[in-house]
Amino acid sequence: MKKSNYLFIVFILLLAINVYSQQPQQRPKIGLTLSGGGAKGLAHIGILKAIDSAGLKIDYVTGTSMGGVIGGLYAVGYSADTIEKISRTINWDLFLSNQASLRTLYMEEKDEYNKYNVELPWVNHKFRLPSGLLQGQEVWVKLSELFYPVYNQKDFSKFSKPFKCIATDVGTGEAVVLSKGEIASAIRASMAIPSFFTAADIDGKRLIDGGIVRNFPVRDVKEMGADIVIGSNVAGPLLPSDKVQNAIQVLLQVAFFREAADSKEEQKLCNVYVDQPLKGYNMGSFSQAKEIIEKGIERGRELYPVFKRMADSLDAIYGKDTSVAQPLPESKPVIISSYEVNGLVNTSAGFFINTIDLLTNKEYTPLRLTKMVRAAYGTRYYSRITYSLVPQEDGTCKIIFDVTENPLTFFKAGLHYNRFSGIAAIVNFTSRNLLFRNSRSMIAANIGETLRARAEHLQYYGRRKNFSTVMSLQGDRFDISSYNTLKQDGIFKQEFFKADFKAQFSTQRNFTIGLGQRFEYVTNKPKINAAFDYSGNNSFVVGYLFLAQNNLDKTDYPHRGVKLNTVFEWVGTQHPRVDFFINGVPVNKDSITVTGSSYARVLFNMDAYTPFGKRTTAEFQIQAGANFKYGNNIMNEFVVGGLTKQFRNQVSFAGLQEGSIYTPAMMVAQVGLRYEFLSNTFLIGRGNVLFNNFISKSKFYNNPDIMTGYSLTFGYNFALGPLELSLMYNDQSKKLGTYVNIGVPF
């Protein structure tokens, strides 16, 4: 019986093995690995599109740096087509900068923003050198917005496709596999390229770009359970020694030594290895993002037959895969029931919360949360703001902000050169909360051939800081050429002093209304006598109402938006003390009447920009102003000429040099077309017409009623600011002129 039982058991086992061997095996799992490579990582999108088109189901995803960004989006449920659309519409210049969008700044901050070449913070009683690294605020904000649908999922294995990304621990130099926590923070850590981005702190570790040690994490997708691996690699080989020519290339070369050897081993683990060398592009080629995406799509078309055969073969062997991938969760608004703000020292939680206008037990969408973070960043009190949403038992969320504050005091410096004003160093000391909380105090000077200085104190009030007062003092000294019938005739020195106080209310970040009063004192003194000159001074008090709008997308070479300023003024009784000269000979005062009577004045300035296509922007400008009943008044005329506004009452005009026309009433209408033929390199054509002598006509200046002019400008936006070289032509003078401007004026 024992022997029979034994044989029976063996028979049953053999029968079971035979039956099992005839059953269909489990469908193999497919893993996808996307390498890092900076801008070149956008080529991965084309491979994803080919995989989706072939109907091939991906079960696991790993990625590093930009591969982590693209792979993470794919893992949480975004389709390849949607990722392509997102990548084509991102403003990469803003995305990869330390700059806030100009539209998020308070109106009072816009004119001073991004104006200086160097900004040194004052920390612990000394200036701290800039790190040269990007905090990546816009990177984090955009990632948080994109990954908002999975804000409540802290385990990356629960995504539509389980996901891991790779970072490097600065302390140990070892790879750190990120598979849980805040997905936006994990990806931000994975892409923290040394010498470009600051490190990210996660779970007590300081993390930087995973590409340093594992840029192509195939082993990790195998460990997740992948039987078949598709690997897309956009990282090129190390540069030959003769091609390493600058400090940045040296840093990157050294940083990625170890990774280069690791990548070769990872490639051997791939079943389908996709090499994308992308010659002519590098990690920083984000200005060519659309071209790189197209290159990736071309490569995807080449590989489509491979993916299609793989999908068809798997279906033939294992049957059609009827499982449905978990879709991208719907981006429903969340109710925020409580908050926490960490990292504040110089500002209070109340200031922060009021700035972003957060109200508890209200619904918030991802776009609203993004806008709120940008609103706080736009105050310029903060260098980095991140948040996490923590689900609560009652279905609401607690929002936790982690904040890094800017130092309160900065020394700023820049260089400016203009054909009219000469070369100058511009220096600035700005301190916040120096005299009172919620304030900005500033002293600035233009030191060079032209001397200028300004002191200003800005004080914010109210819960949302949308009411403010500004007190300022300013002094200028210019040497200005005088013209007679559009021909240079002499030079005079103008000195100007202004004391101003205004109160204003901003209904939103891009619009302000207000009123104010200022005192002006002007002196003119000839240096080289002209045919008609005057020497003397004038002083008066001006009361004014104003409204202003500025929704430009950026300061230099904006693509879209409107900047508008309208002022209604009442110029009070004046005190002119003036002597006139003809060919240097004094004129009898009784023969020329100068009045000091008060008068009304209106000014209007508008600059508008509209994009046409990918590289072309249309520019429109209107400048208008009128001094009513101004015939015998003097020293407050509009001064027409020049392409860059620099001094009091100046009206820019393509075709005329500064000071060519003095008029009490004018309007200039200008149309321009700007073409970006290379990254940050422009060709700009402008034409304008000037209308003079309507409403009021000066007794001292005789100008034509209509003038026309044109300019053609080569522009390049570089580290010192805009560099512009222009040719100008005026129909009335029949002269061709030149104009040069480098940097941003005082």
Side-chain angles (χ1 to χ4, degrees), residues 37 121 193 197 227 251 329 438 440 506 540 547 615 644 678 703:
I193 303 171
F197 284 109
D227 303 296
L251 285 170
N438 306 327
R440 185 198 70 190
S506 299
F540 45 86
L547 61 89
R615 296 182 176 270
T644 305
L678 293 173
N703 300 310

Side-chain angles (χ1 to χ4, degrees), residues 322-503:
T322 58
S323 63
V324 179
Q326 178 183 336
L328 181 71
E330 185 180 352
S331 293
K332 295 181 179 180
V334 296
I335 296 176
I336 295 178
S337 55
S338 59
Y339 63 83
E340 180 180 324
V341 187
N342 301 318
L344 297 177
V345 177
N346 299 314
T347 58
S348 65
F351 175 84
F352 181 87
I353 295 301
N354 290 337
T355 296
I356 64 177
D357 198 25
L358 174 66
L359 300 174
T360 55
N361 298 314
K362 299 288 184 181
E363 284 191 344
Y364 291 89
T365 64
L367 290 177
R368 176 60 184 159
L369 291 173
T370 295
K371 185 176 180 180
M372 288 162 57
V373 169
R374 285 178 175 152
Y377 191 70
T379 65
R380 309 206 69 191
Y381 276 95
Y382 309 103
S383 63
R384 183 168 59 184
I385 304 166
T386 64
Y387 71 83
S388 58
L389 293 168
V390 182
Q392 305 295 295
E393 293 182 357
D394 60 0
T396 65
C397 283
K398 178 181 182 179
I399 188 167
I400 301 175
F401 294 98
D402 289 296
V403 174
T404 302
E405 293 179 321
N406 275 321
L408 291 177
T409 302
F410 279 85
F411 168 75
K412 307 176 185 181
L415 291 175
H416 178 245
Y417 172 78
N418 185 273
R419 184 184 183 277
F420 165 72
S421 57
I423 190 167
I426 303 175
V427 295
N428 175 297
F429 285 92
T430 296
S431 185
R432 299 180 187 275
N433 298 354
L434 177 64
L435 302 178
F436 307 100
R437 293 186 66 85
N438 306 327
S439 69
R440 185 198 70 190
S441 302
M442 178 181 71
I443 298 176
N446 184 98
I447 304 170
E449 297 176 55
T450 299
L451 295 177
R452 310 183 71 185
R454 182 171 76 252
E456 180 181 282
H457 178 78
L458 167 67
Q459 184 70 53
Y460 291 109
Y461 305 92
R463 177 179 176 272
R464 297 180 59 189
K465 309 301 178 286
N466 51 4
F467 179 75
S468 61
T469 56
V470 183
M471 295 177 287
S472 63
L473 300 173
Q474 181 170 330
D476 298 341
R477 193 202 71 187
F478 281 98
D479 289 340
I480 303 176
S481 297
S482 57
Y483 289 79
N484 183 15
T485 61
L486 302 181
K487 295 180 181 179
Q488 187 171 348
D489 195 32
I491 298 176
F492 65 91
K493 179 175 70 175
Q494 182 182 92
E495 295 179 346
F496 169 65
F497 172 77
K498 175 179 71 173
D500 192 6
F501 175 82
K502 62 182 177 182

Side-chain angles (χ1 to χ4, degrees), residues 106-108 460 464-468 504-513:
Y106 288 141
M107 281 288 288
E108 300 78 19
Y460 291 109
R464 297 180 59 189
K465 309 301 178 286
N466 51 4
F467 179 75
S468 61
Q504 53 198 28
F505 177 76
S506 299
T507 57
Q508 51 187 330
R509 296 283 171 108
N510 299 320
F511 183 80
T512 295
I513 58 174

Side-chain angles (χ1 to χ4, degrees), residues 27-38:
R27 188 182 185 93
K29 300 293 186 180
I30 301 177
L32 174 67
T33 295
L34 306 179
S35 77

